[in-house]
Amino acid sequence: MLEDSLSPVKRAWIEARVINELNILPLLARYYGQEQGADITDLSAQIVALQQTRQQPPELHEVASRLSGRFPIRFTVDLQRPLKIDEISRTTDSFNQMCLGCHVAPAGDNSVVIGDLGSFSRSMGDQEWLARLLGGVRGDSYTVLENPFSDSDIARFFRYTRDQLR
Ligand code: HEC
């Protein structure tokens, strides 16, 4: 959304996704509070502040980055280890069976990831791609994948998309 060259269709689509995610955050914060037995008063206030930046992409980006920096993903599998030959062929099979059906289509104007998961994955830092991957494999009411994967599977998809997928 910080790119001037973004088409109106793509901008509207990204805006809709951002609003969607912003609306889900209070619920996620509540789950987090319950799971951790943590007081989320301060977090809730920060989420409200984040939601108030929805019309100003530069501020939204800044506040969201600060907030996500406070909650790094706890992920215990090494994401940097290159895949071995047998893992590459196994992960290629899994990807072709479980992901390619949707992610093969040429990127339309209403998507940034369909058809271009490889270069999309290489356009951002590790934490962000991991977060997106977790979001992607969790799915939504349309994809309903509900993340059937272990952290090791996720780590293999992580390296596969970054290193193998062209
Ligand atoms: C039923 C179709 C479908 C299948 C199967 C599917 N995806 Fe997706 N995926 C989508 C759609 C739709 C989106 C959202 C695309 C968009 O908004 O541009 C998405 C988004 C993503 C994203 C980006 C999330 C983000 O927030 O940027 C990732 C990463 C992803 N998928 C990975 C996978 C992986 C890995 C698999 C296989 C394990 C998979 N997907 C299987 C349809 C699918």
Side-chain angles (χ1 to χ4, degrees):
M1 299 222 325
L2 299 173
E3 288 171 22
D4 289 338
S5 59
L6 214 58
S7 77
V9 174
K10 196 163 249 181
R11 185 173 298 275
W13 169 82
I14 295 177
E15 257 165 24
R17 271 192 75 187
V18 168
I19 304 266
N20 235 330
E21 301 299 326
L22 286 177
N23 288 340
I24 290 170
L25 277 181
L27 188 67
L28 283 181
R30 218 161 52 227
Y31 286 148
Y32 170 79
Q34 277 163 11
E35 253 180 46
Q36 306 287 317
D39 176 10
I40 58 160
T41 317
D42 178 47
L43 177 59
S44 299
Q46 290 186 60
I47 290 174
V48 171
L50 178 68
Q51 289 173 328
Q52 283 163 354
T53 65
R54 66 178 64 194
Q55 303 296 348
Q56 301 111 29
E59 285 82 356
L60 175 68
H61 183 251
E62 197 189 307
V63 179
S65 302
R66 218 180 310 131
L67 194 54
S68 67
R70 272 189 57 200
F71 297 93
I73 305 172
R74 292 198 203 112
F75 199 78
T76 51
V77 180
D78 182 6
L79 290 168
Q80 306 306 330
R81 183 180 65 74
L83 297 181
K84 299 179 191 126
I85 301 285
D86 65 310
E87 289 176 312
I88 292 178
S89 65
R90 208 152 30 99
T91 312
T92 305
D93 287 349
S94 308
F95 190 85
N96 289 350
Q97 279 169 22
M98 291 185 280
C99 318
L100 197 62
C102 293
H103 286 285
V104 73
D109 209 28
N110 61 347
S111 172
V112 285
V113 301
I114 298 290
D116 211 6
L117 221 44
S119 58
F120 186 57
S121 79
R122 291 183 284 275
S123 71
M124 64 190 78
D126 285 353
Q127 279 283 308
E128 182 168 353
W129 182 237
L130 178 60
R132 285 178 184 268
L133 197 54
L134 288 167
V137 301
R138 189 200 66 218
D140 53 24
S141 54
Y142 170 58
T143 57
V144 260
L145 289 171
E146 289 179 358
N147 190 9
F149 305 105
S150 68
D151 286 359
S152 304
D153 295 331
I154 304 269
R156 279 192 291 273
F157 279 126
F158 184 95
R159 287 261 59 91
Y160 175 78
T161 46
R162 261 155 133 67
D163 303 341
Q164 311 295 328
L165 201 61
R166 296 293 143 189

